[in-house]
Amino acid sequence: MAEPGLAVRRKSRPGSVGKRSRAPVQPSAVCSPVARKRASSGGEGPPCSNDSEEDMFGDYDSFYGNDSLLAQVDDIEHKYLQDKNTDVRAAGEIVLGNFQSGSHHKKKDNFSTSENVVILKADKEDALQMNENDLVDSSQEPTEFILDDLPSSQLLYFEKMDELSSASRPSSVSERRNKCVNSSSDKIRSPSSFCPDAEHRNRPADFSSDSKCDLFKSESLKDHLKSAMTGNAKAPTLQVSKTKQLKEAVLSEEICVARKTIESSSVDIGPFYGLPSKVKDLFRQFRGIEMLYEWQHECLMLESLQQRKNLIYSLPTSGGKTLVAEIIILQELLCRQKDVLMILPYVAIVQEKVRGLSSFGIELGFLVEEYAGSKGRFPPIKRRIKKSLYIATIEKGHALVNSLIETERIDDLGLVAVDELHMLGEGSRGATLEITLAKILYTSKNTQIIGMSATLNNAGDLQKFLQAEYYTSNFRPVELKEYVKIRDTIYAVDSKTENGFTFSRLLNFRYSSNLEKADPDHIIALVTEVIPKYSCLIFCPTKKNCENVALMVCKYLKKEFKAHREKEKQDLVKNLKTIGNGSICPVLKQTIPFGIAYHHSGLTNDERKSIEEAYSAGVLCLLACTATLAAGVNLPARRVILRAPYVANDFLKKNQYKQMIGRAGRAGIDSAGESILIVQEKDKHLVRDLVNSPLENCYSNLLLELTKGMQSLLLSLIGLKIAVTHEEVEDFMRSTLLGVQQQLLSKEKSLSEIIKDGLENLIGKGLLEGRISEKDHNSRCTLTVTPLGKATYKGSIDLAYCNLLYRELKKGLEGLILESNLHLLYLATPYDMTSNCSPDWMIYLRQFNQLSAAEQKVADVVGVPESFITKKASGQAIRKNVDSAVVNRLYLSFVLYTLLKETNIWNVSEKFNMSRGYVQNLLNSAASFASCVLHFCEELEEFWVYKALLTELTKQLTYCVKTELIPLMEVAGVLEARAKQLYNAGYKTLAHLANANPETLVKMIEHLSRRQAKQIVSSAKMLLSEKAEALQEEVEELLKVPTDIPETH
């Protein structure tokens, strides 16, 4: 993929980076059949280290054609010396100046002299050669020559000349010389100075002067030129690499060109789909991507994308959808200079993407900001220079869009990219995603929406909703072979046959009677066909089933399996022990030596990350996992086994099935991937329908999720003034997915009636004020949001709990107990986790008795008296009625309180007899909810006291570590165990990490791969850059002169 050398022009301007321009080149198919091939810099040779006094330029005999440059200078000197009216000193200055404008910027890369644009190329012998074909028209005006732009050796030379000449001639000579320079600079700087072509070779130089400089009588100009060039070569190099400056300028120029071509909606969009060629190099460097798949190129070249139309595209899992989205995102950030929002379904995927794209941001000059859990600013900082890529979960993406609409900055958002678009049809999160996209469509005509999914069926409805074009392909980089197993027979899935299956083979594995009882589904036979050489995933219906399968498999595996990468597996066990402060799950301790582990929500974040990294590295070859892995981080396998066609107690949906089997086959590693669904005889007909049925349709959830759907949407519409009357709201609703599907979803009531009921409900809750016109549609009654309503939508509080939260915060003002943070923790404990909490009453009583007297008073204040807990623990009858939701919430507060004191999930999970995964989930949810309560309080003046308190509490819950580790854990992907390792190795601040050498990190930190080290350093640099930019913006805002300063007239 070599590209031609760059033709570069530099204008000699002091203190400015040289502007680049490129000679036209013929279109080529390096990146795509229609993209023009852009020139790039030539290769770099070793730096010159000649410090001797010898003639360093003796070999420079081919500057142009066969004429020596120095010979030309010599000829010019003699010619000018023969003319009595020629001021040689002026000529020397100008000739040197003209040559210097090129030679001072001489690089190993290709470059050009000042305005002559003579293309130079450094060959292996360092000979400067001029290429006749590369000559560029020089009819433009020459730029002003300024001595300050010269190297120090040249300036010393001119100072010496001034000193020598001042004694031998009057000052008037200097004036005449200056006139000479001005009058003849155009002629001297023409190509004839260096290019002896037919047009210019015999043109005489027009100089006038009264005397010659004595300096040139004793020493020739040629010698001075050689001396000056030697001085330049010896001069210490600038701290800023000129190669780097050249590359940055080329990148800047390419961005400008790409921006212009994209604005012109041309199909031919430059070197790499309208992006600098450096982007292609970065994909190669960071991702190992040498070229795009044919469908990716086809998709990126769609006419609809060039015209900035919205786009939905659908391909099977592992088809490379994300890469297309990333290229479109980079086009928006670099070429159109607009901010971008990327919405992803889960926190873990957001953090993974932040880590992956931070390195691109560092290299290409944009910011990557994380909006997940409790992280994210509302509204985001308005950047003057760099553009931002916001990577957000569905909930945080919605809050971000609300804040941009409220501050009238929604048009700053050039693009919204949504992964897993089919989630529109999944419960409350789907409703939130629909609300977000509908608001963008309604409020901004300039924001483009790109949606992608592996599992879309009713794309027509989504097209209509998003006003989008649709692109689909069945491409998979690795062929997927689907099988089902019934008893000991494996059948291939074949939709062409009558019953959907064709016989493939019988399992060839000898089972003893004991093994047959332990493994009736022949899982061991299926996994031993691929492990340990290849990887395998087993999807199980429940978390407990995952652990049981992992234990069962390793129990019957041969001992030889332990020898495979034994040392690395021992390191993994050691690492997991460190994470658990000496504790390790007994199941993992038993299974990991065989290369087997389980993966489900019962793991802590640190454990899950360690297991995923070990599996990706091939240390673990088999994971028994739940369905959440299919929708989470990308962990492909050679073979995927579905333990049963169930998720918990529910029969598998086609979308879930497709996502699970989509993990089979690793691009670039496997020639094919295979999935095997284990089926019992009783489920045979259901499975036949499953594998041959189409994907499920995606339906709006606005009606099903009332408080998080329809009512939440109506409240924020009026609060943000997007729609303030019943009629305007109705107009907006027609543009939602519900509006598109209203005939299917709301058969009993019309859309107008549903809206009316929703608005009345909000007025009844005290969240809206106003009257809804019933008959007279001409009287446009305006609705307004109350302070409580505004706090509710800005805090993203579920409408089912907003009044309860308000009452509890109000009650807290009367007697907030601040001896410890227990009372605050109770207020920040998520309401939606109380329903699935079953307290252990003996533990409840024990924890209560360990509290101080003031802390025990908290229980009484919130409504859980000591007598109630005591009677429950002793099994006595309770006469007094106590709200079970409050009781459960206080119990969860005790868990969080203990967790913040001990900062060890293992210890706390044992104390409360809970799974450590549940405790981890509680902690994450509490951090997120505390952030929501903080934003809620910021909108209500009466709750001013909570602002400072909740800010600190949110930080504690987000990281739940000792204070010194918090700066390190702010970096995406650095969890507690890694933060401890880094801190102990001397990396104690964000600046330490940002300036770390990845190679040193790999050597000093155990279980850290080179790729992870590079990502950590890039993420740290990005975070540091983001913080510095924010401070700079604040400084500039403070120093900005107001435009409305009063003036006296």
Side-chain angles (χ1 to χ4, degrees):
M1 283 201 176
E3 295 181 353
L6 284 177
V8 182
R9 178 174 67 239
R10 185 186 188 285
K11 293 187 179 181
S12 300
R13 281 187 180 171
S16 67
V17 179
K19 185 179 178 184
R20 320 279 163 168
S21 68
R22 188 174 292 100
V25 292
Q26 293 301 314
S28 176
V30 171
C31 305
S32 64
V34 293
R36 284 190 187 279
K37 187 179 185 183
R38 287 293 163 96
S40 66
S41 303
E44 293 185 17
C48 178
S49 58
N50 188 347
D51 290 331
S52 69
E53 292 297 322
E54 63 184 306
D55 185 352
M56 296 169 65
F57 305 98
D59 292 334
Y60 282 61
D61 58 358
S62 56
F63 190 81
Y64 185 78
N66 295 319
D67 294 321
S68 164
L69 167 66
L70 298 177
Q72 286 181 58
V73 173
D74 218 11
D75 291 343
I76 291 169
E77 181 190 16
H78 286 301
K79 191 196 302 180
Y80 295 161
L81 286 172
Q82 289 166 10
D83 186 350
K84 291 182 180 181
N85 295 324
T86 301
D87 187 335
V88 177
R89 180 177 166 191
E93 271 189 37
I94 297 166
V95 173
L96 278 171
N98 233 348
F99 179 72
Q100 186 58 34
S101 66
S103 67
H104 177 54
H105 297 282
K106 175 162 59 79
K107 293 303 302 166
K108 297 162 195 142
D109 296 310
N110 307 334
F111 69 101
S112 71
T113 59
S114 181
E115 277 299 301
N116 301 320
V117 201
V118 179
I119 313 303
L120 305 182
K121 248 184 180 177
D123 65 11
K124 288 179 184 176
E125 291 79 39
D126 289 323
L128 291 170
Q129 295 188 346
M130 292 181 66
N131 185 341
E132 277 187 314
N133 296 326
D134 287 335
L135 282 174
V136 181
D137 181 24
S138 60
S139 59
Q140 26 186 324
E141 283 187 20
T143 53
E144 185 182 353
F145 173 67
I146 300 174
L147 290 178
D148 291 344
D149 204 29
L150 293 174
S152 54
S153 58
Q154 292 293 84
L155 295 173
L156 287 170
Y157 166 67
F158 285 126
E159 283 173 20
K160 184 181 176 185
M161 285 207 312
D162 279 334
E163 286 169 12
L164 290 170
S165 60
S166 60
S168 61
R169 72 184 197 177
S171 60
S172 59
V173 174
S174 177
E175 291 171 14
R176 285 197 300 274
R177 186 195 70 221
N178 289 339
K179 287 178 186 176
C180 163
V181 169
N182 293 332
S183 64
S184 59
S185 62
D186 285 352
K187 295 170 186 174
I188 295 293
R189 289 180 189 176
S190 70
S192 62
S193 306
F194 296 110
C195 310
D197 57 21
E199 190 179 340
H200 298 290
R201 186 173 305 176
N202 300 317
R203 185 178 297 173
D206 183 17
F207 293 117
S208 59
S209 177
D210 291 345
S211 63
K212 303 181 184 69
C213 175
D214 292 337
L215 180 67
F216 283 88
K217 290 177 183 177
S218 58
E219 194 172 357
S220 77
L221 178 60
K222 175 178 173 180
D223 291 335
H224 273 292
L225 185 55
K226 290 169 76 172
S227 173
M229 289 169 72
T230 306
N232 288 347
K234 287 182 181 180
T237 56
L238 295 170
Q239 285 185 337
V240 180
S241 157
K242 291 181 184 176
T243 306
K244 188 178 177 185
Q245 285 181 341
L246 180 66
K247 286 179 179 175
E248 284 174 357
V250 170
L251 175 63
S252 172
E253 173 69 9
E254 287 192 335
I255 287 174
C256 288
V257 172
R259 194 182 304 153
K260 285 174 186 172
T261 52
I262 278 188
E263 283 168 1
S264 68
S265 298
S266 169
V267 177
D268 182 4
I269 54 172
F272 189 68
Y273 304 101
L275 288 163
S277 51
K278 182 176 181 179
V279 174
K280 183 177 62 177
D281 299 334
L282 292 177
F283 276 116
R284 186 185 297 121
Q285 181 185 337
F286 297 141
R287 306 277 179 80
I289 296 170
E290 291 289 339
M291 58 187 295
L292 302 187
Y293 296 129
E294 189 178 331
W295 83 264
Q296 290 172 326
H297 169 70
E298 191 179 289
C299 185
L300 285 165
M301 299 308 296
L302 288 173
E303 191 69 31
S304 53
L305 268 186
Q306 314 310 318
Q307 294 169 3
R308 286 185 51 75
K309 289 181 181 176
N310 296 343
L311 177 70
I312 299 168
Y313 60 100
S314 176
L315 281 97
T317 303
S318 306
K321 295 183 294 295
T322 309
L323 178 61
V324 169
E326 287 173 351
I327 291 172
I328 297 169
I329 284 168
L330 292 174
Q331 287 174 347
E332 198 67 35
L333 288 163
L334 302 179
C335 305
R336 298 191 184 94
Q337 291 288 299
K338 290 278 191 176
D339 295 329
V340 175
L341 168 62
M342 188 179 200
I343 298 177
L344 302 169
Y346 303 109
V347 175
I349 304 176
V350 168
Q351 291 172 340
E352 186 182 38
K353 191 56 68 181
V354 169
R355 289 197 302 275
L357 289 176
S358 287
S359 44
F360 283 84
I362 296 294
E363 293 290 334
L364 298 171
F366 61 85
L367 298 172
V368 178
E369 300 185 39
E370 181 183 343
Y371 279 74
S374 61
K375 293 184 178 179
R377 294 174 190 251
F378 303 101
I381 295 172
K382 187 173 175 65
R383 314 283 183 183
R384 282 187 175 82
I385 303 167
K386 289 188 177 180
K387 295 302 160 188
S388 290
L389 168 57
Y390 311 114
I391 304 181
T393 55
I394 291 169
E395 293 76 15
K396 287 290 178 180
H398 179 223
L400 178 68
V401 167
N402 279 350
S403 69
L404 290 172
I405 292 171
E406 187 176 31
T407 53
E408 298 181 347
R409 287 168 50 195
I410 191 66
D411 281 334
D412 290 350
L413 204 59
L415 174 71
V416 176
V418 183
D419 197 7
E420 310 294 354
L421 188 64
H422 61 268
M423 287 197 75
L424 278 166
E426 295 183 17
S428 62
R429 306 193 78 216
T432 304
L433 181 57
E434 181 181 344
I435 291 167
T436 306
L437 296 175
K439 284 176 181 172
I440 293 165
L441 287 163
Y442 197 82
T443 57
S444 174
K445 301 304 173 193
N446 300 319
T447 306
Q448 186 181 18
I449 296 174
I450 304 292
M452 55 193 138
S453 174
T455 54
L456 280 182
N457 191 37
N458 58 332
D461 284 355
L462 300 186
Q463 271 186 272
K464 198 171 178 185
F465 164 45
L466 294 176
Q467 301 152 37
E469 300 287 317
Y470 182 56
Y471 177 89
T472 186
S473 168
N474 292 321
F475 172 83
R476 267 185 65 91
V478 176
E479 183 190 359
L480 173 62
K481 297 174 181 176
E482 289 180 55
Y483 300 98
V484 296
K485 186 191 83 67
I486 303 169
R487 294 195 184 93
D488 61 349
T489 309
I490 293 177
Y491 298 90
V493 174
D494 187 355
S495 57
K496 294 172 186 173
T497 60
E498 192 177 333
N499 66 354
F501 304 136
T502 54
F503 173 81
S504 177
R505 63 188 173 96
L506 287 171
L507 270 180
N508 183 23
F509 190 87
R510 290 184 181 179
Y511 269 73
S512 65
S513 56
N514 285 341
L515 185 53
E516 188 71 48
K517 287 176 188 174
D519 181 24
D521 293 325
H522 309 103
I523 290 171
I524 292 170
L526 293 173
V527 300
T528 50
E529 289 178 344
V530 287
I531 67 168
K533 188 177 180 183
Y534 301 108
S535 56
C536 182
L537 294 174
I538 304 177
F539 284 103
C540 304
T542 64
K543 289 185 277 190
K544 189 64 185 167
N545 196 224
C546 290
E547 296 175 29
N548 290 342
V549 166
L551 278 170
M552 184 270 294
V553 172
C554 75
K555 187 177 177 182
Y556 291 98
L557 283 181
K558 293 176 182 176
K559 296 289 180 270
E560 294 90 81
F561 280 87
K562 281 190 170 185
H564 181 73
R565 301 182 75 161
E566 189 174 8
K567 171 72 170 64
E568 289 157 286
K569 288 186 285 196
Q570 288 171 355
D571 288 343
L572 176 60
V573 171
K574 203 185 298 178
N575 187 32
L576 289 171
K577 270 187 182 174
T578 307
I579 288 168
N581 279 2
S583 303
I584 184 172
C585 168
V587 175
L588 291 175
K589 189 178 180 181
Q590 199 173 331
T591 62
I592 286 174
F594 288 91
I596 300 166
Y598 64 84
H599 184 289
H600 57 57
S601 60
L603 296 167
T604 65
N605 290 345
D606 280 301
E607 287 174 320
R608 194 179 303 127
K609 196 164 191 298
S610 294
I611 286 169
E612 286 168 0
E613 286 170 359
Y615 177 81
S616 296
V619 177
L620 296 175
C621 54
L622 174 65
L623 290 185
C625 51
T626 52
T628 50
L629 184 139
V633 291
N634 186 24
L635 295 175
R638 173 67 169 267
R639 176 176 288 179
V640 169
I641 299 167
L642 279 69
R643 170 79 177 74
Y646 290 90
V647 173
N649 296 320
D650 301 322
F651 194 78
L652 203 61
K653 292 178 182 174
K654 183 61 178 274
N655 289 351
Q656 293 170 323
Y657 172 72
K658 278 290 186 186
Q659 281 201 314
M660 289 180 192
I661 68 170
R663 294 293 178 208
R666 298 161 302 168
I669 300 171
D670 300 326
S671 56
E674 52 189 26
S675 69
I676 301 172
L677 171 56
I678 297 171
V679 182
Q680 306 304 321
E681 197 68 45
K682 65 182 177 67
D683 293 325
K684 191 174 175 181
H685 65 288
L686 289 172
V687 169
R688 186 180 292 117
D689 293 341
L690 171 73
V691 296
N692 293 301
S693 65
L695 293 160
E696 289 85 8
N697 286 336
C698 181
Y699 293 117
S700 170
N701 275 266
L702 286 182
L703 293 182
L704 296 175
E705 300 290 333
L706 208 57
T707 57
K708 287 187 176 179
M710 177 61 87
Q711 290 184 11
S712 174
L713 171 58
L714 295 175
L715 177 63
S716 60
L717 283 182
I718 290 157
L720 295 167
K721 298 184 174 63
I722 295 170
V724 292
T725 68
H726 184 282
E727 292 76 15
E728 287 174 355
V729 170
E730 207 170 317
D731 181 52
F732 177 92
M733 292 303 299
R734 279 192 284 271
S735 66
T736 62
L737 182 58
L738 173 62
V740 172
Q741 298 175 334
Q742 59 178 305
Q743 302 300 322
L744 292 168
L745 303 178
S746 54
K747 291 176 182 175
E748 295 174 10
K749 286 184 178 181
S750 69
L751 193 57
S752 182
E753 288 173 314
I754 293 166
I755 293 166
K756 181 173 170 290
D757 290 349
L759 292 173
E760 284 175 348
N761 192 294
L762 292 172
I763 291 169
K765 284 183 177 178
L767 303 175
L768 291 182
E769 289 174 341
R771 199 165 47 81
I772 304 162
S773 59
E774 293 185 14
K775 294 179 182 177
D776 185 8
H777 287 283
N778 293 324
S779 59
R780 295 165 63 83
C781 299
T782 302
L783 294 160
T784 55
V785 70
T786 63
L788 177 60
K790 187 177 183 183
T792 300
Y793 83 76
K794 289 197 78 172
S796 301
I797 304 294
D798 188 339
L799 270 61
Y801 307 118
C802 61
N803 284 297
L804 177 58
L805 176 64
Y806 178 81
R807 287 196 301 273
E808 290 192 322
L809 289 168
K810 187 82 172 168
K811 190 177 179 183
L813 289 179
E814 296 167 14
L816 190 64
I817 297 164
L818 293 174
E819 186 176 286
S820 73
N821 56 12
L822 179 61
H823 199 167
L824 269 178
L825 275 170
Y826 174 80
L827 295 172
T829 301
Y831 290 105
D832 55 6
M833 289 198 73
T834 58
S835 58
N836 58 0
C837 169
S838 302
D840 181 317
W841 295 106
M842 288 306 294
I843 293 172
Y844 209 145
L845 182 61
R846 193 186 310 133
Q847 291 299 320
F848 180 85
N849 289 332
Q850 288 174 8
L851 300 174
S852 68
E855 288 170 337
Q856 287 182 352
K857 195 181 171 189
V858 173
D860 207 39
V861 168
V862 302
V864 185
E866 182 182 358
S867 58
F868 173 82
I869 301 170
T870 308
K871 286 179 180 178
K872 273 286 190 183
S874 59
Q876 295 178 36
I878 308 288
R879 288 178 187 173
K880 189 179 178 183
N881 190 24
V882 178
D883 187 347
S884 63
V886 175
V887 173
N888 291 358
R889 195 164 179 232
L890 183 64
Y891 187 66
L892 294 177
S893 303
F894 284 177
V895 177
L896 291 168
Y897 179 61
T898 312
L899 194 53
L900 287 186
K901 278 203 299 187
E902 299 190 14
T903 68
N904 185 282
I905 288 174
W906 269 90
N907 294 353
V908 175
S909 65
E910 285 172 14
K911 269 186 185 174
F912 286 87
N913 196 24
M914 294 173 165
S915 79
R916 58 197 187 282
Y918 181 84
V919 175
Q920 177 78 71
N921 187 34
L922 172 64
L923 180 64
N924 295 344
S925 299
S928 189
F929 186 64
S931 170
C932 292
V933 177
L934 171 60
H935 293 306
F936 180 87
C937 292
E938 283 173 343
E939 296 304 316
L940 296 167
E941 205 171 312
E942 61 196 295
F943 294 148
W944 63 271
V945 71
Y946 287 115
K947 293 177 193 175
L949 296 170
L950 285 169
T951 301
E952 188 55 36
L953 184 70
T954 302
K955 198 172 184 181
Q956 288 177 24
L957 288 167
T958 300
Y959 301 109
C960 192
V961 290
K962 291 177 181 175
T963 313
E964 64 264 23
L965 296 181
I966 289 177
L968 301 177
M969 287 188 67
E970 286 181 332
V971 178
V974 175
L975 300 176
E976 184 181 1
R978 185 73 78 212
K980 283 179 180 175
Q981 286 181 309
L982 291 165
Y983 189 86
N984 293 335
Y987 297 95
K988 299 186 177 182
T989 66
L990 184 59
H992 281 140
L993 266 190
N995 293 286
N997 183 339
E999 297 300 326
T1000 310
L1001 279 180
V1002 171
K1003 289 172 188 170
M1004 294 182 72
I1005 308 297
E1006 283 188 327
H1007 321 298
L1008 183 69
S1009 70
R1010 189 167 279 100
R1011 177 174 165 272
Q1012 291 161 356
K1014 286 177 179 176
Q1015 284 190 340
I1016 285 173
V1017 172
S1018 291
S1019 297
K1021 280 181 180 174
M1022 178 55 68
L1023 188 58
L1024 198 64
S1025 169
E1026 192 186 312
K1027 289 188 173 192
E1029 288 274 335
L1031 291 171
Q1032 187 61 41
E1033 298 284 346
E1034 202 174 320
V1035 168
E1036 289 182 14
E1037 192 62 38
L1038 283 170
L1039 297 176
K1040 194 164 75 174
V1041 179
T1043 54
D1044 56 351
I1045 300 173
E1047 293 182 12
T1048 55
H1049 295 287

